[in-house]
Amino acid sequence: MDRSDQELNILEEVSRVLSAGLDLEHGFERVMQLLSRELEVQRAALVLWDRGGEQMRTVASLGLTPAE
């Protein structure tokens, strides 16, 4: 399988995970696990803007310490 096919397969799986009706944080964690497994990602963070707190908030991570 070439890289573009692999990326397409990963995007399809991400779509399935996020549309599965799970709460978003659980879905984001599953996406991180998928990236780790399929792309051998060792450190990553999904950061979203928190409108209420007027700051960035890490909603899922992989390979980071709680302080990070």
Side-chain angles (χ1 to χ4, degrees):
M1 175 183 318
D2 69 5
R3 179 70 180 206
S4 61
D5 288 338
Q6 181 186 24
E7 291 171 355
L8 183 58
N9 287 339
I10 291 168
L11 286 173
E12 288 173 348
E13 182 63 24
V14 166
S15 176
R16 277 193 289 276
V17 166
L18 294 179
S19 65
L22 304 170
D23 67 272
L24 280 180
E25 288 194 26
H26 182 73
F28 292 153
E29 290 294 335
R30 288 193 54 202
V31 167
M32 288 296 192
Q33 293 168 0
L34 172 71
L35 294 176
S36 174
R37 182 180 69 244
E38 297 298 325
L39 296 176
E40 300 179 10
V41 171
Q42 295 178 1
R43 291 175 52 89
L46 175 58
V47 181
L48 298 177
W49 179 251
D50 180 357
R51 291 182 188 156
E54 293 288 320
Q55 62 184 351
M56 301 298 283
R57 181 172 67 98
T58 301
V59 294
S61 65
L62 178 66
L64 303 180
T65 67
E68 293 174 313

